[in-house]
Amino acid sequence: RSLYNSLEAAAKEKEEAATKELYKLLGEKGMIDLLNKHRGEEPADELLQRFLRSRNLKVPVTLKMIVEDLQWREEKDVLKIRNSTASEMLKGESNPAGRDLHHKLFPHGMLGYDKQGRAIVYKWWSKPFNASTMEKEGGITLQDLINYNIWTMERTAAANKHKGQWVYIIDLQGLAMSNIASSRHVSYCRALADADAAHFPERLRRVF
């Protein structure tokens, strides 16, 4: 037990030192105001530690990652996305049929919180849902779907007060590879994975 406590204390000390160094470097690059603009209710040190853990506490690569994330948030106007509604993200006013088709083929939503206070999100990747179908039948573009995923992540973070991690329940009942093998849907899945890894590191606690 004593050895465990010593190792844990050493790891915490290393993480705190990396966090301070990273914050200093961000300050030298003039990025602190942007960091505070986009972090929501998450304390700055906790945000930096999430990114550091995703890069094994390597400060130079984490610095590059955070700078790119903040630039991406500015270019994408992520704060506007965060404060939009689901209907606005799917252009429901001009394309209500597409929005309704999306929600019909892709049932999803937040179910509540687990005992640790983590948000629980449910997604059913139903058999008919894929990016090609949404474009051809619903008039919802690949970029619309990618932006909707960003909105989902941002709203889940907000539900968690931008702190900690969350839990996903992914329902694959009835899903067949033939339904998701189109190049368009593969591009969609890849874009979601890339965005989640680059801009929401260390957020996912468990997947069921």
Side-chain angles (χ1 to χ4, degrees):
R1 185 66 180 177
S2 177
L3 177 60
Y4 173 80
N5 289 339
S6 296
L7 292 173
E8 188 176 36
K12 184 177 180 180
E13 184 178 337
K14 183 179 179 181
E15 184 174 82
E16 288 176 350
T19 303
K20 290 178 180 178
E21 182 183 354
L22 182 56
Y23 190 86
K24 178 176 177 292
L25 292 171
L26 285 169
E28 292 173 357
K29 285 183 171 289
M31 303 295 288
I32 300 301
D33 286 345
L34 269 185
L35 180 72
N36 290 330
K37 176 181 176 180
H38 288 284
R39 66 181 172 83
E41 298 180 69
E42 184 176 25
D45 60 339
E46 291 184 15
L47 184 152
L48 298 184
Q49 286 162 9
R50 278 197 298 109
F51 277 79
L52 280 164
R53 289 174 195 139
S54 75
R55 292 298 179 267
N56 296 316
L57 303 186
K58 296 177 181 178
V59 173
V61 292
T62 306
L63 176 64
K64 181 176 182 293
M65 182 184 183
I66 291 183
V67 168
E68 290 176 349
D69 171 68
L70 293 173
Q71 291 172 340
W72 172 82
R73 288 176 178 278
E74 284 289 285
E75 292 166 3
K76 291 288 293 184
D77 200 356
V78 172
L79 287 181
K80 181 179 179 181
I81 291 175
R82 181 187 299 172
N83 294 314
S84 297
T85 66
S87 183
E88 287 169 340
M89 294 307 303
L90 295 171
K91 302 176 181 176
E93 185 172 331
S94 60
N95 183 18
R99 175 202 60 201
D100 294 346
L101 178 64
H102 176 274
H103 291 340
K104 177 183 178 180
L105 300 184
F106 181 40
H108 62 287
M110 183 175 159
L111 300 181
Y113 299 88
D114 66 11
K115 293 181 179 179
Q116 287 71 43
R118 296 183 292 247
I120 302 173
V121 178
Y122 171 82
K123 292 185 177 185
W124 179 30
W125 296 101
S126 68
K127 184 176 180 179
F129 178 78
N130 64 64
S132 297
T133 299
M134 292 311 306
E135 279 195 316
K136 293 175 183 177
E137 299 181 19
I140 294 179
T141 68
L142 177 61
Q143 192 58 57
D144 291 336
L145 292 172
I146 293 168
N147 288 341
Y148 187 81
N149 179 69
I150 296 169
W151 176 84
T152 301
M153 298 294 282
E154 286 293 321
R155 295 308 301 164
T156 304
N160 259 26
K161 296 185 176 181
H162 298 95
K163 302 175 183 178
Q165 298 176 304
W166 49 71
V167 176
Y168 267 17
I169 299 175
I170 307 296
D171 190 342
L172 301 178
Q173 184 177 1
L175 187 67
M177 287 303 298
S178 58
N179 298 107
I180 59 174
S182 72
S183 60
R184 204 64 174 157
H185 198 72
V186 170
S187 296
Y188 165 66
C189 293
R190 184 180 295 116
L192 264 56
D194 290 346
D196 291 355
H199 307 295
F200 303 94
E202 298 294 307
R203 282 302 199 189
L204 188 59
R205 177 64 178 181
R206 297 189 71 179
V207 179
F208 294 96

